[in-house]
Amino acid sequence: MSPERKLARSVARKIAFAGAAFVAAFLAGCGAGYRPVVTPTNPAGPQAQPAALVTVVSSPSPTSAGVVNVVDYAGDTVLAQATVGPGPIAFTLDQTGLNGFTFNSDGTISDFPANSSLQEKQVVVTTLPAGAEPFGFMAPAAQLWATDLASNDVDVFTGTQPAIFKIAIPVDPTPIMVIGPTSAAQYNYAITQGAVGPTTCNTAPSSGPAGFADSILAASDSVSNKLQVGRCPVYAVQTPDSQRIYVLNRGDDTISVINTQTNTLDNQCPTGCFNKAGQKYYSHPLLPLSTAGLAVSCPTVPPTPNTNICSEPINLSTANLPATAGPVYAEYNLATQQLVVADFAGGTISIIDVSLDTYGNDSPTFGTTYTVAVGTGTTPNPASVTVLYDGSRAYTANQNDDSTGNGSGNGTVTIVNLSSHTVEKTLQVNGHPRTVASTQNSLEGKVYVASPDSTYLTIIRTDEDIVDTTVLVQGNVVDLRVSSQNGSAGNANVTSRQPGYGAPCNLSAQQYATAGVPPSTLLLCQAQSAAALSAPQQ
């Protein structure tokens, strides 16, 4: 064998041996059994917090500049501040929760971005004509609607930063607010009280005349219909699907139901009609809230089917039913299709089923009402209510729930279970609360409580229903709004709530009594008296 062939064979043997050794080593290293690949699982962590901001407008005095405070939901801290016009009286946010408007004591409107980047230079001021008396704001996206008591019209503004005047629409006397979807194909409604004095709906609402809801077609900016509602209407709520509007009539303790699809009162089928599925249903133009309201809406008690406007079925629980309710505020909850009403005079809330069937007609349980007494004193005067996004509980601001009986104690917030219609607990808060608002993510959420005689925003944790903390702002709180009730849906409450003309005054009855002036005029309701402001703030 040649030397070359011997060398080649030797090299081949070495390569074969090295390969066998590699395979043996590989098998020895891996072992005979299967080794699964382990992928670590990261912990889920806490549930995400709602992406919400709370905008609080406060007033150090009736003549000094008001202050906008943007508060963070997660940290309970003031993220941004800016001044607006002097002595702000009314405030609201638009549908996006990103733009705010205040009406100020000098007859101006302040327009500002309600976010954590708010700066003084971003506040835009619009001066209204001399003699104008704006009262109720509605702020849908990229628009502003305001009622004017001086000229009895609705002023429409377009855009934001600044809001530019577009047109004035004449309506019935004493327009207190505007409510509606603002869609060009649908109607907005100016809620009016008729030829009523500025003190009547505050001191003697049952003696006021019948009010009207003037329907305004957004496409033409003109009144198309006038719907008669009850005495001294003070507030209205629209459902998110824009099919119903509920008008709170403080003067006769009823709620007028407007079917916005037909632009009429909800009275098309008092004796029963059949829907597309052949099911019989009834309509309900009036919902009673008290024994006095029952006498107005249901002349025959118990109601006789098909004989009067108290259409069947109306299921009104007589438990806790007050003689006089005095409704002043309400919220509609989408999850449960309930309307929850704060009955200022009755010391109660009314929980009303206002569900519709799949065809947009009143459901068989529509009008079922439960009344729950709130507060701890004899005259708690619930001034407002908020409902958690999941519809589980309602929180009422009991403005005059003073257990001391002499005006030295604070008001309270009552927590009501909306499934069992029972009170879970009542918490004492700073001042005499007039406004409550809530935001919620699953079981976690917060309720914000504002008192017009306190410089503190009270915050309640809803997972434990305890007062969690307070946030100090500059001046007494005028009003507040949350940017979203669930962290994503935007602001549901786009209407302002100004004291006077039947709505609760900013100061409590005890404070007015201490100052020696009764809360009987719009001026006294709007501007906190010097005597009360000079008193120690809580």
Side-chain angles (χ1 to χ4, degrees):
M1 182 179 294
S2 65
E4 291 80 9
R5 295 186 64 183
K6 289 182 179 180
L7 179 61
R9 182 176 292 180
S10 175
V11 171
R13 288 174 178 173
K14 290 179 180 179
I15 291 174
F17 179 80
F22 175 79
V23 172
F26 178 80
L27 293 176
C30 290
Y34 169 72
R35 292 188 177 183
V37 177
V38 178
T39 302
T41 302
N42 295 322
Q47 191 168 14
Q49 299 289 335
L53 297 174
V54 185
T55 303
V56 183
V57 173
S58 56
S59 178
S61 79
T63 56
S64 61
V67 181
V68 178
N69 309 268
V70 180
V71 180
D72 178 36
Y73 167 90
D76 297 332
T77 56
V78 177
L79 299 178
Q81 283 186 334
T83 58
V84 291
I89 297 170
F91 158 65
T92 194
L93 288 180
D94 69 358
Q95 279 179 304
T96 67
L98 301 177
N99 298 290
F101 302 89
T102 64
F103 170 56
N104 312 308
S105 298
D106 63 349
T108 61
I109 295 175
S110 295
D111 178 356
F112 55 89
N115 57 46
S116 59
S117 302
L118 172 65
Q119 298 180 26
E120 197 84 23
K121 64 181 180 181
Q122 296 173 310
V123 179
V124 177
V125 177
T126 301
T127 301
L128 300 175
E133 294 183 44
F135 191 78
F137 284 174
M138 179 180 70
Q143 275 191 322
L144 177 68
W145 294 57
T147 62
D148 190 337
L149 295 174
S151 53
N152 290 323
D153 60 33
V154 172
D155 298 327
V156 184
F157 300 79
T158 60
T160 57
Q161 298 289 142
I164 300 173
F165 177 76
K166 176 185 176 183
I167 192 173
I169 306 170
V171 294
D172 275 291
T174 321
I176 57 151
M177 71 175 295
V178 184
I179 189 75
T182 71
S183 168
Q186 293 180 302
Y187 298 94
N188 300 309
Y189 292 84
I191 308 302
T192 69
Q193 293 184 341
V196 63
T199 66
T200 301
C201 291
N202 288 345
T203 59
S206 61
S207 65
F212 284 88
D214 291 2
S215 61
I216 302 170
L217 182 60
S220 60
D221 291 326
S222 60
V223 174
S224 66
N225 201 3
K226 298 177 183 291
L227 308 178
Q228 182 172 318
V229 294
R231 299 176 185 271
C232 285
V234 296
Y235 196 71
V237 179
Q238 179 180 253
T239 57
D241 60 10
S242 302
Q243 294 196 57
R244 296 289 188 276
I245 285 178
Y246 302 97
V247 182
L248 277 59
N249 306 310
R250 185 174 180 181
D252 55 21
D253 286 349
T254 62
I255 295 176
S256 295
V257 183
I258 297 175
N259 186 326
T260 56
Q261 303 304 296
T262 59
N263 191 27
T264 61
L265 290 175
D266 189 31
N267 195 30
Q268 294 78 42
C269 296
T271 60
C273 295
F274 293 92
N275 63 22
K276 296 178 181 179
Q279 301 164 329
K280 194 171 186 179
Y281 70 92
Y282 297 84
S283 55
H284 307 80
L286 282 176
L287 300 174
L289 300 172
S290 68
T291 54
L294 193 63
V296 171
S297 59
C298 301
T300 304
V301 181
T304 301
N306 309 334
T307 59
N308 53 59
I309 61 174
C310 187
S311 312
E312 70 169 351
I314 286 245
N315 303 312
L316 181 65
S317 172
T318 57
N320 299 319
L321 191 67
T324 303
V328 293
Y329 187 80
E331 272 196 7
Y332 173 85
N333 182 257
L334 181 61
T336 60
Q337 296 188 66
Q338 288 179 323
L339 188 70
V340 183
V341 185
D343 303 321
F344 189 77
T348 58
I349 63 169
S350 300
I351 305 166
I352 309 172
D353 181 330
V354 289
S355 57
L356 305 180
D357 64 19
T358 56
Y359 306 101
N361 305 308
D362 296 355
S363 73
T365 57
F366 189 103
T368 301
T369 302
Y370 295 91
T371 307
V372 180
V374 297
T376 58
T378 55
T379 56
N381 295 135
S384 63
V385 63
T386 188
V387 181
L388 296 184
Y389 189 76
D390 64 4
S392 60
R393 299 187 300 285
Y395 297 72
T396 68
N398 305 317
Q399 191 174 41
N400 295 321
D401 195 19
D402 180 10
S403 59
T404 66
N406 58 15
S408 62
N410 289 344
T412 63
V413 169
T414 294
I415 304 163
V416 177
N417 186 306
L418 294 182
S419 297
S420 61
H421 313 118
T422 57
V423 171
E424 292 192 347
K425 65 170 66 173
T426 296
L427 304 173
Q428 190 172 77
V429 296
N430 289 280
H432 296 80
R434 184 176 182 270
T435 302
V436 283
S438 61
T439 187
Q440 182 187 28
N441 182 13
S442 185
L443 297 178
E444 300 177 6
K446 293 180 181 179
V447 172
Y448 300 90
V449 187
S451 301
D453 58 332
S454 175
T455 58
Y456 288 95
L457 173 69
T458 302
I459 302 176
I460 298 172
R461 284 179 49 178
T462 63
D463 57 342
E464 299 183 53
D465 280 337
I466 59 173
V467 174
D468 183 32
T469 188
T470 58
V471 176
L472 178 66
V473 298
Q474 295 184 29
N476 290 350
V477 179
V478 174
D479 210 347
L480 67 87
R481 293 288 186 275
V482 294
S483 62
S484 171
Q485 278 198 295
N486 69 340
S488 62
N491 173 41
N493 185 0
V494 299
T495 58
S496 66
R497 188 161 175 257
Q498 193 166 326
Y501 282 88
C505 294
N506 262 350
L507 295 184
S508 68
Q510 294 99 325
Q511 289 172 307
Y512 274 104
T514 302
V517 288
S520 59
T521 68
L522 175 61
L523 180 62
L524 291 176
C525 280
Q526 290 179 340
Q528 295 181 341
S529 67
L533 280 176
S534 62
Q537 294 178 334
Q538 302 179 42

